[in-house]
Amino acid sequence: MVVRLQARSSDGSRARPWTFYALASLLTAFLIFLYGPMLVIYLLSFQGPNGGVTFPMVGTSLVWFEDILKRGQMANIPVSFGRSITLAMLVSLLTVAISVAAGLGFRRRFPGSGGLFYLAVASLVMPSLLVGFGIALGFQVLGWQAGLFTSALAAQLTWTLPFGLFAMFAVINRFDRSYEEAASDLGASAWQRLAYVLVPILLPGIIGIFIGALTLSYDEYARTTLTAGSRNTLPLEIYALISSSTSPTLFAIGTLTTAVSFITIGVSLGVVRHIQRRRLRA
């Protein structure tokens, strides 16, 4: 019989091994590396009127946030923001619809299912610029006009759909089909099973796919730059401003964008939590 002795601290609790502190330090360094630049942008967006894009800060103000809505160099920012949101919403809806349909279709094996799956996710390993260039060239050969809701929409779907498929397959694999069988025994039709059984149970996962596609589409640059046509999205507009001049207004745009993202994620998590609470009460 082997008795393992474990070191204990002075208060009687088990002492942590040195690997815990090493991994904790590594995690802390990673978080600083990940969020440090974002924190710098947030702070510099509150520069005073005479401040620049570097430290030290020269006072504090909201003048750079006000500058976003003023006429002049930043006049296209609100317009391009509206374009990005509209395009991202459309991409998200299409991603959800196609991912849910594919997830339900792939529940049963069929000839060529493996090849079709790999073909659907192959765009993830292709360079983004080449994907955008290929779509733009295809539109040009066919004589079609490139635009936000044609070629850019197609380009962004090659980016959001694979992630939506992966997430939906994971959700479908955890789905207990006995609920469907029970609904069928009670006389429910295929559409009734979909509307009253499948979608409500899969709703948290569907919301996650929608938010994931929304964020991926909203800040997509590489696949959009060659396919957007004459109208810029917000990332394209920001890149054009960076290449011409730099001011704390760009940092203010980043701060507002992050705030919108966190609000969207928070609302989504609140909806999912509400759904889970209702299920627990039921």
Side-chain angles (χ1 to χ4, degrees), residues 133-240:
F133 177 72
I135 292 176
L137 184 61
F139 269 68
Q140 183 179 1
V141 170
L142 294 173
W144 298 344
Q145 182 67 35
L148 282 180
F149 301 104
T150 53
S151 55
L153 174 64
Q156 292 196 2
L157 282 174
T158 64
W159 179 237
T160 59
L161 266 179
F163 289 102
L165 291 176
F166 283 133
M168 181 51 60
F169 288 161
V171 172
I172 289 291
N173 286 336
R174 295 196 301 266
F175 177 74
D176 188 354
R177 300 193 65 173
S178 61
Y179 295 111
E180 275 188 294
E181 296 172 358
S184 299
D185 293 341
L186 293 174
S189 64
W191 285 108
Q192 287 175 328
R193 293 197 304 269
L194 177 65
Y196 300 111
V197 179
L198 276 170
V199 172
I201 293 177
L202 301 177
L203 188 57
I206 293 175
I207 293 174
I209 293 172
F210 180 87
I211 296 300
L214 186 73
T215 55
L216 288 174
S217 171
Y218 176 74
D219 64 356
E220 172 58 32
Y221 172 79
R223 298 171 190 254
T224 312
T225 182
L226 297 175
T227 57
S230 59
R231 295 184 295 174
N232 283 345
T233 59
L234 184 60
L236 299 180
E237 194 69 32
I238 291 176
Y239 183 81

Side-chain angles (χ1 to χ4, degrees), residues 39-199:
L39 181 61
V40 170
I41 289 177
Y42 303 154
L43 292 176
L44 291 177
S45 64
F46 292 95
Q47 279 270 31
N50 298 321
V53 295
T54 59
F55 289 104
M57 295 181 62
V58 184
T60 57
S61 70
L62 297 176
V63 66
W64 305 110
F65 292 92
E66 299 171 358
D67 194 45
I68 298 175
L69 301 177
K70 290 181 180 178
R71 293 183 177 180
Q73 189 178 16
M74 301 295 172
N76 290 329
I77 291 298
V79 177
S80 60
F81 172 78
R83 293 171 185 161
S84 291
I85 286 295
T86 304
L87 179 60
M89 292 290 291
L90 182 57
V91 169
S92 301
L93 291 174
L94 289 175
T95 300
V96 167
I98 297 173
S99 298
V100 172
L104 296 178
F106 272 85
R107 288 194 297 176
R108 295 180 179 178
R109 300 284 295 182
F110 56 88
S113 59
L116 181 61
F117 170 76
Y118 289 118
L119 185 63
V121 301
S123 61
L124 287 179
V125 300
M126 291 290 293
S128 299
L129 283 174
L130 291 183
V131 173
F133 177 72
I135 292 176
L137 184 61
F139 269 68
Q140 183 179 1
V141 170
L142 294 173
W144 298 344
Q145 182 67 35
L148 282 180
F149 301 104
T150 53
S151 55
L153 174 64
Q156 292 196 2
L157 282 174
T158 64
W159 179 237
T160 59
L161 266 179
F163 289 102
L165 291 176
F166 283 133
M168 181 51 60
F169 288 161
V171 172
I172 289 291
N173 286 336
R174 295 196 301 266
F175 177 74
D176 188 354
R177 300 193 65 173
S178 61
Y179 295 111
E180 275 188 294
E181 296 172 358
S184 299
D185 293 341
L186 293 174
S189 64
W191 285 108
Q192 287 175 328
R193 293 197 304 269
L194 177 65
Y196 300 111
V197 179
L198 276 170
V199 172

